[in-house]
Amino acid sequence: MHPIIILVVQRLALGILLLFAASILIFAGTTMLPGDVAQQILGQGATPENLANLRAELGLNDPPVSRYFSWLGGVLQGDLGTALTNGRDIADSIGGRLKNTMFLAFWAAVISVPLAIFLGLLAVRYKDKFPDKLISAVTLTTISIPEFMIGYILVYWLAIKLRWFPSVAIMNDSMSLGEKLNAIAIPVMVLTLVVLAHMMRMTRAAILNVMQSAYIETAELKGLRMLTVIRKHAFPNAVAPIVNVVMINMAYLVVGVVVVEVVFAYPGMGQYLVDHVSKRDVPVVQACGLIFAAVYIGLNLIADIVSILTNPRLRHPK
């Protein structure tokens, strides 16, 4: 069997194993949360009999192992359970929220990925010169500021002072694409500024590492322009590490949007998770945690597979 196929199968198996381990950690973590779910649902005035009946109805008296496998079996069949606070099907509630989160992450990626690669190439072209130092200084400044602070600063200037965009990212299905993009403009800017520095610096580092290779020196001796050497010879051979860092940041755009969604009251997965954590709605927290883990593991798995497929030593074994 070809080495690439073996490695891809191994990565897929490892991804499934990691997701299984993540499900155990999520279930165990939510099980150990302080407080009583039954008390949270019925309120402080509930009688001991009512609390006992509700615990039995919810299966809270069953052994944790039995509850875990019952929950996992439902997940494998597409049943994420029912929210304790409102009795609604979690899968139906999450569907629209996940779509909104993916919409926000998609547009942030559309802007941040090409911009990060362009700035990385520009920094390499002017290595240790003013453009390189300016790009590094600006991007490091943005990554050093907390997301909520960047959000409040942009809201103050762009929403309150200039009135270009709304301060709250309210979105619904009846809005046109233009209206939706206008609503998420500031959250997209925040996410772009947060992930831009990491991707740019990794792009710069990966290309500079390739630039030390002998074939790059040969290309330079042939009289090729530096920009041509970077674009045609260095960048294609630096794709693997760049793809890795891009995928990690894409995972962050989906999984790490909780703060941004809360700041802008955006109707996504992060906001949904925070709302139900405060209500101690354990099935919702478990479902959101598992989806976030699946997205994160899946995107990192894609990065690993792309790295394998772009490795010339594996594609052309001796």
Side-chain angles (χ1 to χ4, degrees):
M1 188 177 291
H2 200 283
I4 287 183
I5 297 177
I6 296 174
L7 286 173
V8 169
V9 170
Q10 288 176 345
R11 292 297 190 277
L12 290 173
L14 180 61
I16 295 173
L17 183 62
L18 285 174
L19 188 57
F20 177 69
S23 70
I24 295 175
L25 291 175
I26 291 167
F27 186 87
T30 53
T31 301
M32 292 186 292
L33 286 173
D36 185 354
V37 177
Q39 190 79 66
Q40 185 74 21
I41 296 173
L42 297 179
Q44 297 298 322
T47 63
E49 292 78 8
N50 289 336
L51 290 173
N53 291 335
L54 183 58
R55 289 192 192 101
E57 182 181 342
L58 297 176
L60 298 178
N61 297 327
D62 298 337
V65 174
S66 174
R67 284 189 284 134
Y68 167 75
F69 282 107
S70 175
W71 170 69
L72 184 62
V75 169
L76 293 176
Q77 297 176 27
D79 180 15
L80 297 178
T82 304
L84 300 179
T85 51
N86 54 25
R88 296 184 59 185
D89 184 75
I90 296 174
D92 292 340
S93 300
I94 281 180
R97 298 274 187 161
L98 181 59
K99 183 177 72 172
N100 289 342
T101 294
M102 298 300 290
F103 182 79
L104 178 61
F106 170 78
W107 286 106
V110 165
I111 296 174
S112 61
V113 173
L115 184 59
I117 293 175
F118 171 75
L119 291 176
L121 293 171
L122 192 63
V124 172
R125 172 63 182 83
Y126 296 99
K127 180 177 178 291
D128 295 332
K129 296 180 180 178
F130 177 74
D132 180 25
K133 294 178 180 178
L134 178 63
I135 292 170
S136 296
V138 172
T139 52
L140 282 176
T141 299
T142 58
I143 202 174
S144 302
I145 303 175
E147 298 162 59
F148 67 88
M149 183 61 68
I150 296 176
Y152 290 142
I153 291 172
L154 292 180
V155 165
Y156 177 75
W157 284 106
L158 300 180
I160 298 175
K161 299 290 287 187
L162 300 175
R163 298 183 180 276
W164 288 352
F165 305 108
S167 59
V168 179
I170 298 175
M171 198 174 72
N172 54 67
D173 293 335
S174 64
M175 298 169 66
S176 66
L177 178 60
E179 291 172 333
K180 290 179 179 180
L181 293 177
N182 183 67
I184 66 170
I186 299 181
V188 165
M189 292 179 197
V190 174
L191 290 173
T192 298
L193 291 173
V194 169
V195 301
L196 186 63
H198 191 207
M199 287 192 290
M200 186 283 297
R201 292 183 67 81
M202 283 301 297
T203 300
R204 178 183 182 274
I207 296 175
L208 285 176
N209 184 55
V210 173
M211 292 289 288
Q212 298 174 5
S213 303
Y215 65 87
I216 297 295
E217 184 178 353
T218 302
E220 291 174 345
L221 291 174
K222 288 181 179 179
L224 296 177
R225 294 173 55 197
M226 178 58 68
L227 195 58
T228 303
V229 172
I230 294 172
R231 180 171 56 87
K232 290 189 174 182
H233 298 280
F235 180 71
N237 289 283
V239 166
I242 293 173
V243 167
N244 271 309
V245 73
V246 166
M247 285 301 176
I248 289 173
N249 282 277
M250 293 307 95
Y252 172 80
L253 286 177
V254 178
V255 177
V257 295
V258 175
V259 173
V260 173
E261 289 188 359
V262 171
V263 168
F264 293 97
Y266 184 73
M269 285 280 292
Q271 181 70 58
Y272 184 67
L273 174 62
V274 170
D275 290 343
H276 286 80
V277 166
S278 61
K279 300 173 184 176
R280 207 181 181 282
D281 199 329
V282 174
V284 173
V285 177
Q286 290 171 341
C288 291
L290 190 62
I291 290 173
F292 282 146
V295 170
Y296 191 86
I297 292 171
L299 288 175
N300 280 277
L301 190 60
I302 292 173
D304 284 345
I305 293 175
V306 170
S307 297
I308 293 170
L309 297 178
T310 55
N311 190 328
R313 295 180 179 177
L314 294 174
R315 291 203 313 267
H316 308 288
K318 293 181 179 180

